[in-house]
Amino acid sequence: MPKMIIHDYEIPCKGVQKKILYHFSDLHLSMADELSSDAERQAAERNTASWREGRKHFARSTGEPCDEEQLIEAEAHFENLMQKAQEDGDALLIAGDLFDHVTGADIRWFEKRFSHLAIPYLLACGNHENPTKIPDNCALARIKQPVQTLDLGDLVIMTFENSQRVITKVQIDALMSQLTQGKPIIIAMHIPIQAEHNKAHKALDEYFRLNHAECSEETKEFVKILYANTDKIVAVLAGHLHFLNVCELTPGLTQYVSSQGLLGNINRYIIGE
Ligand SMILES: [Fe+2]
Ligand SMILES: [Fe+2]
């Protein structure tokens, strides 16, 4: 059995019936199939080999565990995490960088693999998932949408496409409109918000920040809206950092960044009352 590391959190939320939400990110899969050319197959092998090492580098630099049992193929981790989420989860969020580059084989694999899941899910677009390479008429095209919404009855999860570290007016309008509905909202995206008071955040360069020094006015506005609505925004969930980070962004609003799915990390939240 491949090793999995489950990080458990409780998020009390009035008026929400208890739910289990699973969250993982950063698998950086590179698939190949019978339709892949030799060059595509070799590229997939190269990417997979590079992440075999890359994941160790991230774990070492942040002091996270990375033992032999965790050094299995990324796809084996993926299957293990998916099985866990479908065992008792009410919903699943994959917070981006599921794929390393997005190839034809990745698109075909996604279509098959995600067609019959036992739970509702959202997949956020990561910076490794170049939306320009994803045709409109495929299942994976869902990640190109500015906002995806998953309504769980008394709780809504909204995914914002922020793979280029930009939030747009369309996305702000969608958030404002959802806020007027009054239901508690979980915000999900790939690139996290950085808080100046967080030591781990301070050490990171601009590449890891949604609210970086040169970010757009709309992006700043988006963060402000979240901070001003902590009574309705339950939590912010993100990926991209390749290490686990939990940070109270502002009083009453916590951001949970999942560590590498590549090493079997998964977050589990019990939300509600
Ligand atoms: Fe990543
Ligand atoms: Fe990323």
Side-chain angles (χ1 to χ4, degrees):
M1 187 73 173
K3 188 170 173 184
M4 179 166 36
I5 304 177
I6 303 177
H7 307 275
D8 275 307
Y9 304 98
E10 273 192 40
I11 305 179
C13 188
K14 267 199 171 167
V16 173
Q17 221 178 13
K18 222 159 228 173
K19 293 177 182 34
I20 299 178
L21 170 65
Y22 283 93
H23 160 210
F24 64 82
S25 66
D26 299 281
L27 263 298
H28 290 266
L29 298 171
S30 290
M31 312 309 283
D33 62 14
E34 64 288 351
L35 297 175
S36 302
S37 66
D38 286 348
E40 285 168 338
R41 186 175 299 277
Q42 284 160 12
E45 281 166 13
R46 270 200 309 278
N47 293 338
T48 302
S50 131
W51 278 106
R52 226 172 267 141
E53 294 306 310
R55 59 185 168 177
K56 290 188 210 168
H57 161 78
F58 276 103
R60 277 190 202 122
S61 60
T62 56
E64 290 198 354
C66 175
D67 60 34
E68 273 307 310
E69 289 170 292
Q70 289 170 268
L71 296 176
I72 55 166
E73 290 301 313
E75 195 184 349
H77 274 307
F78 170 80
E79 290 303 336
N80 206 27
L81 300 180
M82 291 300 281
Q83 195 187 328
K84 184 75 220 159
Q86 291 176 95
E87 240 171 58
D88 60 353
D90 293 295
L92 165 67
L93 164 70
I94 304 175
D97 285 0
L98 174 62
F99 297 109
D100 199 42
H101 277 84
V102 182
T103 62
D106 293 335
I107 289 169
R108 292 188 289 274
W109 176 86
F110 177 83
E111 196 124 28
K112 271 191 224 150
R113 186 61 190 81
F114 281 75
S115 60
H116 294 102
L117 295 194
I119 49 169
Y121 75 96
L122 284 169
L123 170 59
C125 186
N127 56 307
H128 275 261
E129 279 126 0
N130 183 348
T132 61
K133 285 192 185 169
I134 304 172
D136 290 335
N137 60 349
C138 70
L140 190 57
R142 60 187 289 157
I143 71 170
K144 300 200 290 183
Q145 296 170 59
V147 179
Q148 303 171 65
T149 303
L150 179 59
D151 193 332
L152 297 172
D154 51 11
L155 174 72
V156 169
I157 308 176
M158 295 182 87
T159 299
F160 292 83
E161 202 286 80
N162 75 348
S163 64
Q164 305 308 307
R165 299 183 298 151
V166 174
I167 292 288
T168 61
K169 182 163 184 315
V170 169
Q171 290 173 303
I172 289 176
D173 290 349
L175 174 59
M176 294 306 288
S177 154
Q178 185 62 54
L179 279 166
T180 63
Q181 310 281 312
K183 274 191 199 179
I185 305 169
I186 290 179
I187 304 291
M189 53 200 183
H190 182 59
I191 315 271
I193 295 168
Q194 301 282 322
E196 286 310 319
H197 62 270
N198 187 279
K199 245 192 193 170
H201 289 185
K202 256 189 132 172
L204 296 169
D205 68 33
E206 302 286 275
Y207 172 80
F208 293 99
R209 301 167 177 253
L210 173 63
N211 48 339
H212 56 94
E214 307 290 314
C215 78
S216 67
E217 286 306 313
E218 286 85 358
T219 306
K220 284 183 203 159
E221 176 69 17
F222 176 74
V223 175
K224 262 193 213 160
I225 295 169
L226 298 186
Y227 287 16
N229 287 278
T230 56
D231 56 329
K232 294 187 203 79
I233 313 281
V234 178
V236 177
L237 311 183
H240 189 55
L241 299 186
H242 285 234
F243 66 87
L244 188 72
N245 183 264
V246 178
C247 167
E248 189 173 56
L249 295 169
T250 195
L253 182 62
T254 299
Q255 174 178 264
Y256 302 81
V257 177
S258 49
S259 185
Q260 310 185 80
L262 273 162
L263 287 172
N265 290 283
I266 185 166
N267 286 8
R268 175 170 56 195
Y269 309 92
I270 297 182
I271 303 172
E273 59 179 358

